[in-house]
């Protein structure tokens, strides 16, 4: 029998890797197969790449196998074969492990369950003694459907590995109410492979059709002669014990209740795939949590979740509260100082009383600390902070960046969620809250921030002063009949007798024009020049910068290559948009394209 299996099923390692069965109970995916090399593998369920867990042989798992043997009892089965096969089935049950089970169906003019999974060993011999090969029809596909339906009712707590062994001469292959397509569909939905055992002394076309059916389900074909019939199944349990078991895990337990493509491939791009039914899942009883809150900038924080969640991109799903605790803390500090003074007056008391008092004070101190937190919650001034926008962090998974309209003031903040759930069948909500504090900044830092935020007032004053100077200069020029350059120095024309004009050079670089509108206000047009690139952003180092908290420090770059104008988004938080469409990376511009960055819109020409 070993020679028959090796000749028809392939020696491990010489044949391409195969998938015999895929058991999906999301998020767990268990693969049974053979021929997989000991190297890194990639697996996909639909479009999702699965996470690799471990690899073992089936014997190492200690799991049971449930065998469903289907025996052809039509009169086209030669008697010599039939008697030897019956003995092989009796022997087969004696080779099974203690946890394994075997059920027996016969199919001819009818399909009958002759032995259920739980039966006494002596029942097998008695049933096989009574079975005869006298029927005139072969309802093989109806038998496969019946066995598949029965095996599919067993949950993972009973058995995950189930196989169907069909022993037949392959004649009358298409006879019956259930056709080949219906039978294959049953096996796909149940995820059970069918292994075909075909008599050698039958038509070649029957053997080929039988084998194709088995391979489609994940099984194999074994062709045997009468001498091998008596030991037909002897090596099958050993082959099952040595098969590969690959464990994978999905990122969620979402059932689709439809057939999905499962595939595995090696680094050498060898692989196999199989259609599997995704209709089972393990209940997710663990709710997602907020695990971290971190302040990034004055008006921006990052929050992290313990797992992938849904609804985190919606700003209305966050509840941010702030409590001003400065006054409360000062009052409590005064009370503590008074308590310390009182404690000093009691230092002369008896040592024993002092020790007892110390122990009591330690216990009550912990209670007071807890009570302080509660008092702060009740007595602190509270306000709701509105989240302006939310974006996903591009580098850290399950991390969102929350932006606010104004800088965060000093105080204790609490972040909680509504409507944010994990990605699961149960839709478990995020229920915990997490706190963080914003401290009072040093005086010089606050002055610097004020200057940074309100520097435009100084700019306005400076511009106003410059305008006054220019106006006065123009008036003087008109009175002095113009300006000329003498020895490279500008003077009033009326103050000299000999005039020498020196031309002023034009500004170098590519000229271009920006029509700028801030938050929809009346636009202004600027004429600008660039040599190789032109940076726009919030930082003062940029060629053109704005006091806009929604704009990144270096937001986008313009480039001229001699023929075309290009724009590049500099990995910004809130994105760069061309004609209302967000861009990623570098893109060529057209005349009069509208660039959106933060609260500013630019219409560009060149």
């Amino acid at each position: 029998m070993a020679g028959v299996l090796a000749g028809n099923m392939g020696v491990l390692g010489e044949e391409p890797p195969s998938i015999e069965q895929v058991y999906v109970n999301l998020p767990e995916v268990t693969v049974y197969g053979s021929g997989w090399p000991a190297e890194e593998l990639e697996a996909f369920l639909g479009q999702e790449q699965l996470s690799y867990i471990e690899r073992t042989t089936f014997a190492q798992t200690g799991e049971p196998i449930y065998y469903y043997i289907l025996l052809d009892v039509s009169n086209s089965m030669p008697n010599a074969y039939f008697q030897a096969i019956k003995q092989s089935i009796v022997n087969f049950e004696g080779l099974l492990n203690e946890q394994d089970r075997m059920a027996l169906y016969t199919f001819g003019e009818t399909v009958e369950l002759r032995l259920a999974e739980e039966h006494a060993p002596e029942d097998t011999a008695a049933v096989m003694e009574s079975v005869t090969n006298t029927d005139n029809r072969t309802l093989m596909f109806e038998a496969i459907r019946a066995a598949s339906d029965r095996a599919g009712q067993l949950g993972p707590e009973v058995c995950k590995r189930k196989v169907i062994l069909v022993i037949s001469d392959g004649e009358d292959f298409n006879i019956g109410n259930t056709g080949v397509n219906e039978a294959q569909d049953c096996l796909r939905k149940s995820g059970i492979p069918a292994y075909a055992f075909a008599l050698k002394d039958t038509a070649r076309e029957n053997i080929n059709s039988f084998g194709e059916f088995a391979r489609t389900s994940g099984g194999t074909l074994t062709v045997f002669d009468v001498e091998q019939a008596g030991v037909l199944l002897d090596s099958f349990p050993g082959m099952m014990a040595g098969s590969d078991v690959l464990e994978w895990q999905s990122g969620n337990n979402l059932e689709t209740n439809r057939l999905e493509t499962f595939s595995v491939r090696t680094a050498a791009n060898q692989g196999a795939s199989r259609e599997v039914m995704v209709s089972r899942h393990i209940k997710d009883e663990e709710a997602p949590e907020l695990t971290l809150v971190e302040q990034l900038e004055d008006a921006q924080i990052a929050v992290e979740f313990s797992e992938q969640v849904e609804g985190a991109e919606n700003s209305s799903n966050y509840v941010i509260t702030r409590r001003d605790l400065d006054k409360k803390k000062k009052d409590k500090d005064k009370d503590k100082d008074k308590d310390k003074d009182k404690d000093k007056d009691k230092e002369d008391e008896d040592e024993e009383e002092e020790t007892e008092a110390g122990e009591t004070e330690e216990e009550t101190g912990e209670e007071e600390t807890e009570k302080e937190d509660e008092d702060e919650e009740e007595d602190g001034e509270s306000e709701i902070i509105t989240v302006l926008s939310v974006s996903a962090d591009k580098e850290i998974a399950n991390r969102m960046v929350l932006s606010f309209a104004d800088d965060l003031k000093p105080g204790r903040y609490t972040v909680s969620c509504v409507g944010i759930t994990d990605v699961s069948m149960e839709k478990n909500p995020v229920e915990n809250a997490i706190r963080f504090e914003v401290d009072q900044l040093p005086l010089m830092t606050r002055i610097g921030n004020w200057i940074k935020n309100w520097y435009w007032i100084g700019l306005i004053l400076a511009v106003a002063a410059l305008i006054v100077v220019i106006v006065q200069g123009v008036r003087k020029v008109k009175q002095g009949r113009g300006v000329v350059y003498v020895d490279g120095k500008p003077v009033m024309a009326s103050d000299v007798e000999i005039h020498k004009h020196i031309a002023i050079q034009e500004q170098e670089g590519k000229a271009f024009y920006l029509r700028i509108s801030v938050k929809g206000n009346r636009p202004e047009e600027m004429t600008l020049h660039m040599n190789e690139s032109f940076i726009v952003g919030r930082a003062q180092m940029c060629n053109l910068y704005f006091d806009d908290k929604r704009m990144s420090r270096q937001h986008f770059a313009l480039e001229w290559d001699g023929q075309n104008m290009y724009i590049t988004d500099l990995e910004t938080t809130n994105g760069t948009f061309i004609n209302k469409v967000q861009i990623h990376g570098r893109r060529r511009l057209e005349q009069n394209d509208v660039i959106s960055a933060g609260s500013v819109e630019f219409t560009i020409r060149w």
Side-chain angles (χ1 to χ4, degrees):
M1 181 58 193
V4 177
L5 287 173
N8 291 280
M9 301 178 67
V11 178
L12 190 63
E14 294 181 357
E15 292 292 328
S18 66
I19 298 174
E20 297 170 16
Q21 181 183 355
V22 182
Y23 190 88
V24 179
N25 190 26
L26 291 175
E28 297 177 357
V29 179
T30 306
V31 183
Y32 304 94
S34 61
W36 293 100
E39 62 181 50
E40 184 177 349
L41 303 173
E42 288 185 330
F44 294 83
L45 183 60
Q47 299 299 316
E48 180 191 6
Q49 182 169 0
L50 303 178
S51 300
Y52 175 76
I53 303 300
E54 65 176 349
R55 173 194 185 128
T56 58
T57 63
F58 186 78
Q60 291 174 316
T61 67
E63 296 178 4
I65 301 182
Y66 275 45
Y67 296 93
Y68 292 83
I69 298 178
L70 278 55
L71 176 60
D72 187 347
V73 294
S74 66
N75 53 22
S76 59
M77 292 279 287
N79 193 57
Y81 274 97
F82 192 73
Q83 297 304 322
I85 291 169
K86 292 199 300 181
Q87 185 58 48
S88 175
I89 293 173
V90 175
N91 297 340
F92 174 76
E93 187 169 36
L95 299 173
L96 303 183
N97 293 321
E98 182 179 355
Q99 68 271 24
D100 298 339
R101 296 293 182 270
M102 181 192 84
L104 174 68
Y105 280 88
T106 59
F107 61 93
E109 296 177 357
T110 61
V111 175
E112 296 184 46
L113 176 63
R114 306 301 295 269
L115 288 170
E117 296 87 346
E118 300 292 341
H119 61 268
E122 57 269 19
D123 294 341
T124 304
V127 168
M128 298 313 301
E129 182 68 26
S130 64
V131 171
T132 59
N133 53 326
T134 57
D135 287 11
N136 294 318
R137 301 177 65 199
T138 307
L139 302 181
M140 175 165 47
F141 294 132
E142 292 189 20
I144 291 171
R145 185 182 66 178
S148 175
D149 290 345
R150 183 178 179 87
Q153 295 174 9
L154 297 177
E157 70 283 355
V158 177
C159 178
K160 295 192 294 186
R161 186 73 162 120
K162 308 153 193 173
V163 296
I164 293 175
L165 312 180
V166 186
I167 307 172
S168 176
D169 63 356
E171 292 187 13
D172 301 328
F173 194 72
N174 292 316
I175 293 177
N177 296 326
T178 301
V180 60
N181 292 332
E182 291 85 352
Q184 287 176 341
D185 189 56
C186 285
L187 293 176
R188 274 196 299 268
K189 290 180 178 178
S190 63
I192 300 174
Y195 294 83
F197 294 84
L199 278 61
K200 184 177 181 181
D201 300 327
T202 191
R204 174 53 57 182
E205 58 269 23
N206 293 340
I207 293 175
N208 291 340
S209 298
F210 200 10
E212 180 63 25
F213 175 84
R215 285 187 288 271
T216 300
S217 73
T220 57
L221 170 68
T222 299
V223 180
F224 63 97
D225 58 26
V226 68
E227 287 80 13
Q228 297 164 328
V231 292
L232 179 62
L233 305 177
D234 285 12
S235 61
F236 199 83
M239 186 191 73
M240 292 286 103
S243 62
D244 299 322
V245 181
L246 306 175
E247 296 283 349
W248 306 86
Q249 188 158 19
S250 169
N252 58 70
N253 69 344
L254 295 176
E255 296 179 11
T256 61
N257 287 312
R258 64 171 181 262
L259 289 169
E260 304 279 358
T261 300
F262 173 84
S263 60
V264 183
R265 64 171 178 242
T266 67
N269 211 27
Q270 277 189 311
S273 63
R274 184 157 305 285
E275 294 294 310
V276 297
M277 190 69 180
V278 182
S279 59
R280 288 182 294 261
H281 77 278
I282 300 171
K283 185 177 181 181
D284 186 351
E285 297 180 340
E286 184 175 352
E289 293 183 346
L290 277 167
T291 58
L292 175 69
V293 175
E294 176 185 7
Q295 186 175 8
L296 302 180
E297 296 184 7
D298 293 338
Q300 202 172 68
I301 65 172
V303 298
E304 291 184 20
F305 297 91
S306 59
E307 59 181 286
Q308 185 181 1
V309 293
E310 293 180 334
E313 69 287 346
N314 190 340
S315 60
S316 63
N317 288 345
Y318 295 90
V319 179
I320 316 292
T321 59
R322 171 185 171 271
R323 296 184 182 275
D324 187 356
L325 305 176
D326 285 347
K327 181 178 180 301
K328 185 68 179 177
K329 286 181 179 178
K330 289 178 182 178
D331 292 342
K332 289 189 178 296
D333 288 341
K334 290 180 181 179
D335 292 340
K336 287 180 180 179
D337 291 339
K338 291 179 181 179
D339 291 340
K340 288 180 181 178
D341 293 337
K342 291 179 181 179
D343 290 340
K344 283 185 179 181
D345 295 337
K346 296 181 180 181
E347 287 180 357
D348 296 333
E349 292 183 0
D350 184 80
E351 183 178 357
E352 207 172 295
E353 292 177 358
E354 228 175 62
T355 304
E356 292 176 0
E359 292 175 353
T360 305
E361 185 180 341
E362 184 178 346
E363 293 174 0
T364 56
E366 294 177 359
E367 295 175 0
E368 286 178 358
T369 302
E370 295 176 0
K371 191 174 185 301
E372 283 176 4
D373 290 339
E374 293 175 1
D375 290 343
E376 288 174 355
E377 289 296 317
E378 293 175 1
D379 299 337
E381 296 179 4
S382 176
E383 64 175 321
I384 302 294
I385 309 299
T386 303
V387 179
L388 182 64
S389 63
V390 181
S391 61
D393 192 299
K394 297 177 181 178
E395 297 181 356
I396 303 177
N398 307 324
R399 180 180 172 102
M400 307 300 291
V401 177
L402 280 58
S403 299
F404 305 94
D406 300 308
D407 293 350
L408 297 177
K409 301 175 184 178
R412 173 176 289 175
Y413 291 78
T414 302
V415 181
S416 58
C417 306
V418 291
I420 299 179
T421 67
D422 62 9
V423 183
S424 71
M425 296 293 290
E426 292 71 26
K427 301 294 182 187
N428 297 307
V430 176
E431 295 180 341
N432 74 309
I434 192 166
R435 291 177 179 173
F436 72 100
E437 290 192 6
V438 176
D439 295 329
Q440 179 72 50
L441 296 175
L443 177 61
M444 294 307 297
T445 303
R446 280 182 279 160
I447 293 173
N449 288 342
W450 187 92
I451 294 173
K452 182 178 70 174
N453 292 329
W454 299 96
Y455 74 93
W456 55 272
I457 295 178
L459 287 177
I460 292 174
L461 295 175
V463 170
L466 181 61
I467 291 173
V468 171
V469 172
I470 292 173
V471 170
Q472 292 177 345
V474 169
R475 289 177 180 173
K476 189 173 182 181
V477 167
K478 289 180 178 179
Q479 294 173 355
R481 301 189 304 278
V483 175
V484 297
Y485 283 79
V486 177
D487 297 329
K489 298 179 180 180
V491 296
M492 300 306 301
S494 60
D495 295 337
V496 295
E497 295 179 0
I498 302 173
H499 308 287
K500 181 181 179 182
H501 179 71
I502 301 176
I504 303 175
Q505 293 183 349
E506 293 292 331
Q507 189 170 354
E508 297 181 356
K510 171 63 181 175
F512 66 101
Y513 312 93
L514 289 179
R515 194 164 185 260
I516 303 173
S517 174
V518 180
K519 294 185 177 179
N521 293 334
R522 184 165 61 89
E524 298 181 9
E525 185 160 312
M526 299 181 66
T527 302
L528 302 165
H529 293 77
M530 74 168 72
N531 288 321
E532 295 180 357
S533 65
F534 192 92
I535 307 298
V536 177
R538 184 160 52 86
Q540 294 185 14
M541 64 179 289
C542 296
N543 299 100
L544 182 60
Y545 63 94
F546 296 83
D547 181 24
D548 183 357
K549 293 183 176 63
R550 298 192 67 244
M551 189 178 288
S552 295
R553 293 181 62 80
Q554 292 179 309
H555 202 98
F556 66 84
L558 299 173
E559 299 172 83
W560 174 256
D561 67 355
Q563 293 182 335
N564 296 301
M565 186 75 73
Y566 293 89
I567 184 171
T568 302
D569 177 75
L570 301 177
E571 298 183 357
T572 58
T573 300
N574 294 319
T576 302
F577 298 79
I578 303 298
N579 302 323
K580 307 298 184 183
V581 178
Q582 186 171 3
I583 66 170
H584 301 280
R586 192 168 185 254
R587 171 175 165 171
R588 185 166 63 87
L589 288 167
E590 303 292 342
Q591 294 285 357
N592 294 310
D593 272 349
V594 177
I595 304 167
S596 300
S599 305
V600 186
E601 286 190 349
F602 308 81
T603 302
I604 186 167
R605 295 184 294 106
W606 61 89

